[in-house]
Amino acid sequence: VEIKAADAGRIVCGIRVPANLANGYGTLHGGAIATLIDCVSTMAVLTVGGTNTGVSIDLSITYVSAARIDDELEIESKVLKKGKNVVMLSAEVRRAGKNGEIVASGHHTKFFS
């Protein structure tokens, strides 16, 4: 995963789908998509002054379309709200390029003590 852009409250990363993250259908495994959303949205917390990664208290993902081996993807995450102990984030996984077809979208809530 490569960081493409980052500013306060937003981060964009890119990845080329590797064969070792594919399922038996030759598409990116849903668990790998969940991990990408988890990790990239956690990185978004660091763009608003977070000093640790906290713990997930909710992670919701909607799978929209399949990503195949060697597809170029972008994962964008935004901080929706940052409170004293809870941060709410959104994330979107889409095909890179003009089309930008959505592969999955998610919401992630993290707790910080």
Side-chain angles (χ1 to χ4, degrees), residues 22-66:
N23 57 27
Y25 299 104
T27 61
L28 183 59
H29 192 284
I33 292 172
T35 300
L36 285 169
I37 288 174
D38 182 3
C39 292
V40 174
S41 59
T42 297
M43 290 167 56
V45 173
L46 302 176
T47 71
V48 292
T51 57
N52 65 55
T53 58
V55 295
S56 298
I57 57 174
D58 182 63
L59 180 61
S60 171
I61 301 165
T62 301
Y63 299 94
V64 178
S65 65

Side-chain angles (χ1 to χ4, degrees), residues 44-93:
V45 173
L46 302 176
T47 71
V48 292
T51 57
N52 65 55
T53 58
V55 295
S56 298
I57 57 174
D58 182 63
L59 180 61
S60 171
I61 301 165
T62 301
Y63 299 94
V64 178
S65 65
R68 305 206 175 282
I69 296 169
D70 288 331
D71 280 356
E72 291 282 344
L73 302 177
E74 279 187 353
I75 307 95
E76 179 177 13
S77 181
K78 296 178 182 176
V79 175
L80 301 175
K81 182 172 177 139
K82 181 179 185 276
K84 182 179 176 184
N85 295 102
V86 175
V87 179
M88 301 172 92
L89 306 123
S90 67
E92 195 170 84
V93 180

Side-chain angles (χ1 to χ4, degrees), residues 13-29:
C13 295
I15 187 172
R16 179 183 297 264
V17 177
N20 66 331
L21 294 182
N23 57 27
Y25 299 104
T27 61
L28 183 59
H29 192 284

